[in-house]
Short mmCIF file of all heavy atoms in Angstrom, two decimals:
data_model
loop_
_atom_site.label_atom_id
_atom_site.label_comp_id
_atom_site.label_asym_id
_atom_site.label_seq_id
_atom_site.Cartn_x
_atom_site.Cartn_y
_atom_site.Cartn_z
N GLN L 643 -10.01 11.66 -16.30
CA GLN L 643 -10.62 12.86 -16.87
C GLN L 643 -9.99 13.28 -18.19
O GLN L 643 -10.54 14.09 -18.91
CB GLN L 643 -10.50 14.02 -15.89
CG GLN L 643 -11.49 13.97 -14.75
CD GLN L 643 -11.00 13.12 -13.60
OE1 GLN L 643 -9.82 12.84 -13.50
NE2 GLN L 643 -11.90 12.69 -12.75
N SER L 644 -8.82 12.73 -18.53
CA SER L 644 -8.13 13.16 -19.75
C SER L 644 -8.56 12.38 -20.99
O SER L 644 -8.10 12.68 -22.09
CB SER L 644 -6.62 13.01 -19.57
OG SER L 644 -6.27 11.64 -19.45
N LEU L 658 -2.54 -0.03 -12.71
CA LEU L 658 -1.09 0.15 -12.57
C LEU L 658 -0.68 1.55 -12.12
O LEU L 658 0.21 1.69 -11.28
CB LEU L 658 -0.40 -0.18 -13.89
CG LEU L 658 -0.21 -1.65 -14.21
CD1 LEU L 658 0.50 -1.84 -15.53
CD2 LEU L 658 0.56 -2.34 -13.11
N LEU L 669 7.03 4.08 -0.26
CA LEU L 669 8.44 3.69 -0.09
C LEU L 669 9.32 4.90 0.18
O LEU L 669 10.26 4.82 0.99
CB LEU L 669 8.92 2.93 -1.31
CG LEU L 669 8.37 1.52 -1.47
CD1 LEU L 669 8.83 0.91 -2.78
CD2 LEU L 669 8.78 0.64 -0.32
N VAL L 688 7.55 10.36 17.73
CA VAL L 688 7.52 11.76 17.30
C VAL L 688 7.70 11.85 15.79
O VAL L 688 7.01 12.61 15.10
CB VAL L 688 8.60 12.57 18.05
CG1 VAL L 688 8.69 13.99 17.52
CG2 VAL L 688 8.31 12.57 19.54
N PHE L 696 2.70 15.74 8.06
CA PHE L 696 3.23 16.18 6.78
C PHE L 696 2.48 15.52 5.62
O PHE L 696 2.13 16.18 4.63
CB PHE L 696 4.72 15.86 6.69
CG PHE L 696 5.30 16.05 5.32
CD1 PHE L 696 5.55 17.32 4.83
CD2 PHE L 696 5.57 14.96 4.51
CE1 PHE L 696 6.07 17.50 3.57
CE2 PHE L 696 6.10 15.12 3.24
CZ PHE L 696 6.35 16.39 2.77
N LEU L 721 -13.36 9.21 -9.37
CA LEU L 721 -12.57 8.07 -9.83
C LEU L 721 -13.44 6.84 -10.00
O LEU L 721 -13.01 5.72 -9.73
CB LEU L 721 -11.44 7.77 -8.83
CG LEU L 721 -10.39 8.85 -8.67
CD1 LEU L 721 -9.48 8.53 -7.51
CD2 LEU L 721 -9.60 9.01 -9.94
N ALA L 734 -16.86 -15.56 -10.65
CA ALA L 734 -18.25 -15.53 -11.10
C ALA L 734 -19.17 -15.07 -9.98
O ALA L 734 -19.00 -15.43 -8.82
CB ALA L 734 -18.67 -16.90 -11.59
N LEU L 745 -16.18 -15.08 -2.68
CA LEU L 745 -15.62 -14.77 -3.99
C LEU L 745 -16.13 -13.47 -4.61
O LEU L 745 -15.97 -13.27 -5.80
CB LEU L 745 -15.90 -15.93 -4.95
CG LEU L 745 -15.40 -17.30 -4.50
CD1 LEU L 745 -15.86 -18.38 -5.46
CD2 LEU L 745 -13.89 -17.30 -4.36
N ILE L 789 24.75 -10.14 11.84
CA ILE L 789 23.60 -9.71 11.05
C ILE L 789 23.66 -8.19 10.90
O ILE L 789 23.89 -7.48 11.88
CB ILE L 789 22.28 -10.13 11.74
CG1 ILE L 789 22.21 -11.65 11.86
CG2 ILE L 789 21.08 -9.59 10.99
CD1 ILE L 789 21.06 -12.15 12.71
N ALA L 798 12.90 -4.00 6.18
CA ALA L 798 11.62 -4.38 6.78
C ALA L 798 10.68 -3.18 6.87
O ALA L 798 9.47 -3.31 6.60
CB ALA L 798 11.85 -4.96 8.17
N GLY L 807 0.88 1.19 2.27
CA GLY L 807 0.42 2.02 1.17
C GLY L 807 -0.60 1.30 0.31
O GLY L 807 -1.60 1.88 -0.13
N LEU L 808 -0.37 0.01 0.07
CA LEU L 808 -1.36 -0.78 -0.68
C LEU L 808 -2.67 -0.90 0.09
O LEU L 808 -3.75 -0.89 -0.51
CB LEU L 808 -0.80 -2.18 -0.98
CG LEU L 808 0.26 -2.25 -2.06
CD1 LEU L 808 0.78 -3.68 -2.18
CD2 LEU L 808 -0.26 -1.77 -3.38
N GLY L 810 -3.86 1.40 2.13
CA GLY L 810 -4.52 2.70 1.95
C GLY L 810 -5.15 2.84 0.58
O GLY L 810 -6.25 3.35 0.41
N LEU L 818 -14.28 3.54 -0.63
CA LEU L 818 -14.80 4.92 -0.58
C LEU L 818 -15.47 5.30 -1.89
O LEU L 818 -15.12 4.90 -2.93
CB LEU L 818 -13.68 5.89 -0.27
CG LEU L 818 -13.12 5.81 1.13
CD1 LEU L 818 -12.07 6.88 1.34
CD2 LEU L 818 -14.20 5.97 2.17
#
Side-chain angles (χ1 to χ4, degrees):
Q643 283 85 18
S644 67
L658 282 180
L669 288 175
V688 174
F696 169 75
L721 295 171
L745 304 175
I789 299 171
L808 286 176
L818 291 183

